[in-house]
Amino acid sequence: MQQLLAPKNFYLWSGRWLRPVAWATGLCTLTGLYWGLVVAPPDYQQGDSYRIMFVHVPSAWMSLFVYAVMAGAGAVALVWRIKVAEVVASASAPIGAAFTALALMTGSLWGKPMWGTWWVWDARLTSELLLLFLYLGYMALEQAIEDRRTATRAAAVLALVGAVDLPIIHYSVEWWHTLHQAPTVTRFGAPAIHGSMLAPLLVMALAFFGYYVSLLLVRARCELLERERTNPWVGEVCRGIP
Amino acid sequence: MTPRRQRIIAITLILAGVSAAAALGLTALSSNILFFYTPTQLLSGEVPPAAAIRLGGLVTKGSVKRTPDSLKISFDLTDQQHTVRVRYEGLLPDLFREGQGIVAQGRLAADRVFNANEVLAKHDENYMPPELAAHLPKVKDTAP
């Protein structure tokens, strides 16, 4: 573990894992989409409209998960000054922002026919929108400071402060009356969804997770090379002497 | 105390402070965060009379009355304890049906009927294939 935290080792290790993870992601995406959009039965109430859930739910889960990773890596970067953690936090932000935007947009598209409105200011939707602004604020703050290490540490404080939004998003549908429904899968007790729909949902969740890991590795590796460009190992790696 | 220890303490304090502030703020605002009131809250006078509010509940089975050749509709909205009659004219969402949870926006008229200008359907968290639903004649009504 200690070894892996050295920038050079992380770079070499992630280079080995990138390809298998990306292939697995592609496989899960194709399987999950076919299973969810073609094989899975329609819903007893919503018919085929519910199928947007196979994109909406994983992207909403990942929007929370990526933020947790970003804030966690930010805390590690603040305390232990580990370069790999700084790079992971910094590289996660745009990916998480994209997941959040996707969750908001797919939810809106589903909301119009099902609820009867594109958008309402209920607790779940508002707190998820706040998460998008937190991601954008994180990226803006990081861009605003010249020195990259200082920038990442300043942004990490923002990420930690914003982390308070994560439990609010998750529990909003239980604490307050909202238009958004209560959790189907991530709740105590059995999921309130039939197995024939749950299985493709979980495959899609795996696909989204794999997509995040692949993109994170690509971005983190690139960022690491740029930040460490004055270090001898970067020259060695780039000349192909690992 | 090492600088690292100081930073750990600083981060813990930040997290604790922000969590406490958020908890206090949300508790203070909790009534504003409610997306809708229930019929019980409306009838017990918790809501200022004639104020524009959202009212949530289940559409009582067999209570939906449509006026022919118009979009006028009226139905009973219940939270299993109290019931309010709702009047509405306009398009209804796909999920509107008897037994379904809905949220109506509008105000209580003098004749104790709720005049809605917008009706939204509230979806529950249950997903199943139609064949399975057919075997369960009454799907568990989740209170809104």
Side-chain angles (χ1 to χ4, degrees), chain B residues 42-106:
Chain B
L42 180 70
L43 295 177
S44 68
E46 257 183 72
V47 186
I53 58 151
R54 292 192 204 88
L55 185 67
L58 300 172
V59 179
T60 309
K61 297 225 162 104
S63 73
V64 177
K65 288 203 171 53
R66 294 172 197 270
T67 314
D69 299 324
S70 79
L71 291 172
K72 288 198 179 97
I73 185 173
S74 73
F75 52 88
D76 284 339
L77 201 58
T78 180
D79 59 1
Q80 319 288 18
Q81 293 166 37
H82 291 87
T83 302
V84 176
R85 191 82 187 157
V86 178
R87 259 193 307 253
Y88 175 66
E89 181 171 4
L91 296 176
L92 292 163
D94 283 7
L95 281 180
F96 182 90
R97 62 199 69 185
E98 295 181 352
Q100 177 74 35
I102 65 125
V103 176
Q105 182 161 21

Side-chain angles (χ1 to χ4, degrees), chain A residues 13-27 210 213-214 217:
Chain A
W13 171 85
S14 58
R16 278 198 296 277
W17 279 95
L18 188 51
R19 212 169 274 266
V21 172
W23 275 109
T25 303
L27 199 65
V213 174
S214 319
L217 291 185

